Amino acid sequence: MKKFILSTGKSLIGPAIVLLLWTFGAKAIDNRLILPQLGSVLKHFLAPTENVIGLGSLAVNIVISLIRVMLGYIAALLIALPLGIIMGYSKTAYQLANPVIGLFRPIPPIAWVPLVLAWFGITSFATILGLNQGTWYIYLSNFKLSMMFIIFLGTFFPVITSCIHGISQVPNTLIESARVLGATESNIFFKILIPAAGPTIMNGMRIGLGSAWTSLVSAEMMPGSISGVGYLITHAYELAKIDLVMVGMISIGLIGSLLDFSIRLAGKKRFIWQRETKIDR
């Protein structure tokens, strides 16, 4: 218990320093267009269900952004995980696919925006389902394919790169020892390769989720967006509501940190054996 309290206390020192610097800095600058008062930002978090500059409540915009990110993230995992594992396991698959992945990986997601708009336009889930009105149309029209694709790209490359690296770095002695003991290729794949590469793959999923949140603002700046934290940031800036800009930025940071913590916690529980080889922090 004492160790937990000390660890928590140390973790709070950094945020406390930032809040103090913000408080004194805002008073010294005395210009809300440069640095708004801390209180003007906190009041929005204390009333998350109130309408914000005609864009709905902060809570609703956060939920919409969260759903967008998770849809793009999950879609990327469904493709990147199996493809990365196959490329790490098969030299032929790696030689065939890696040149293509290596070509597109350095391109930032925001550079895809013009091309993605040409491909998908403002097509949403509502369009795909043929909805033109009603409650479901209002909700599903928020989830446009172009936005999800930008988030997909932000997730895909970190995850597939980690999968390839994790599988290919499994010691060959483990595999040969298993074959000597009579293990089948299926057993080697599912009981040796995947568990041994698991921590690296999990780290790639963590990086991919952070990249997905980084891509969120770019995705929600695209034409057709009328909701979400990213849109809230850009629209608030146009109206010179810098306090709302900071609310949006802090919201993205807090939710991203919580999701990152969740993945790290899941990794620690799943790969508890790895703690013995790491420095205790």
Side-chain angles (χ1 to χ4, degrees):
M1 184 64 181
K2 183 178 179 181
K3 184 178 179 181
F4 174 77
I5 294 174
L6 288 173
S7 177
T8 304
K10 290 178 182 178
S11 300
L12 294 176
I13 291 175
I17 293 174
V18 171
L19 292 177
L20 286 173
L21 291 174
W22 182 353
T23 300
F24 290 117
K27 288 182 179 179
I29 296 172
D30 194 23
N31 188 336
R32 66 181 181 83
L33 296 179
I34 298 176
L35 186 63
Q37 297 288 338
L38 178 60
S40 66
V41 174
L42 289 179
K43 71 178 183 180
H44 293 290
F45 287 107
L46 296 176
T49 58
E50 290 185 2
N51 194 300
V52 180
I53 55 175
L55 298 178
S57 68
L58 176 62
V60 169
N61 282 283
I62 288 175
V63 169
I64 290 173
S65 291
L66 185 60
I67 294 174
R68 282 173 179 158
V69 168
M70 295 314 297
L71 287 173
Y73 179 71
I74 292 171
L77 291 185
L78 291 175
I79 298 175
L81 287 175
L83 182 58
I85 291 170
I86 292 171
M87 289 177 64
Y89 185 69
S90 170
K91 186 176 180 180
T92 301
Y94 179 83
Q95 291 173 337
L96 289 172
N98 189 61
V100 178
I101 292 174
L103 176 65
F104 290 109
R105 183 171 51 216
I107 303 175
I110 195 172
W112 287 83
V113 169
L115 189 58
V116 169
L117 286 174
W119 288 348
F120 301 113
I122 57 172
T123 302
S124 65
F125 286 176
T127 307
I128 295 173
L129 296 175
L131 300 175
N132 296 316
Q133 58 185 357
T135 303
W136 280 108
Y137 169 77
I138 295 173
Y139 287 122
L140 294 178
S141 62
N142 285 303
F143 306 110
K144 293 179 170 53
L145 299 185
S146 55
M147 297 180 188
M148 254 71 79
F149 190 75
I150 293 296
I151 295 169
F152 169 92
L153 290 172
T155 303
F156 179 80
F157 293 107
V159 174
I160 194 170
T161 301
S162 296
C163 285
I164 295 170
H165 179 74
I167 294 293
S168 62
Q169 294 301 308
V170 175
N172 196 51
T173 52
L174 293 177
I175 299 173
E176 295 302 326
S177 298
R179 286 187 178 134
V180 169
L181 294 172
T184 64
E185 290 300 315
S186 177
N187 288 333
I188 291 173
F189 188 82
F190 289 105
K191 295 184 178 180
I192 295 178
L193 282 175
I194 299 300
T200 303
I201 294 174
M202 185 69 75
N203 189 54
M205 292 170 61
R206 177 186 171 190
I207 296 172
L209 184 57
S211 182
W213 275 102
T214 302
S215 305
L216 173 66
V217 177
S218 300
E220 292 183 341
M221 285 180 180
M222 299 172 70
S225 176
I226 55 173
S227 59
V229 183
Y231 181 74
L232 175 65
I233 290 173
T234 55
H235 191 58
Y237 172 73
E238 292 172 355
L239 298 176
K241 297 283 188 179
I242 305 302
D243 56 335
L244 284 174
V245 171
M246 299 193 71
V247 167
M249 293 171 62
I250 293 170
S251 298
I252 291 175
L254 288 175
I255 297 171
S257 297
L258 289 173
L259 292 174
D260 180 75
F261 175 76
S262 299
I263 290 185
R264 286 192 290 114
L265 186 62
K268 285 181 179 179
K269 290 184 177 180
R270 180 64 181 84
F271 307 109
I272 193 170
W273 49 268
Q274 200 182 32
R275 294 182 190 176
E276 300 299 327
T277 61
K278 287 187 174 182
I279 298 173
D280 186 26
R281 290 189 173 90

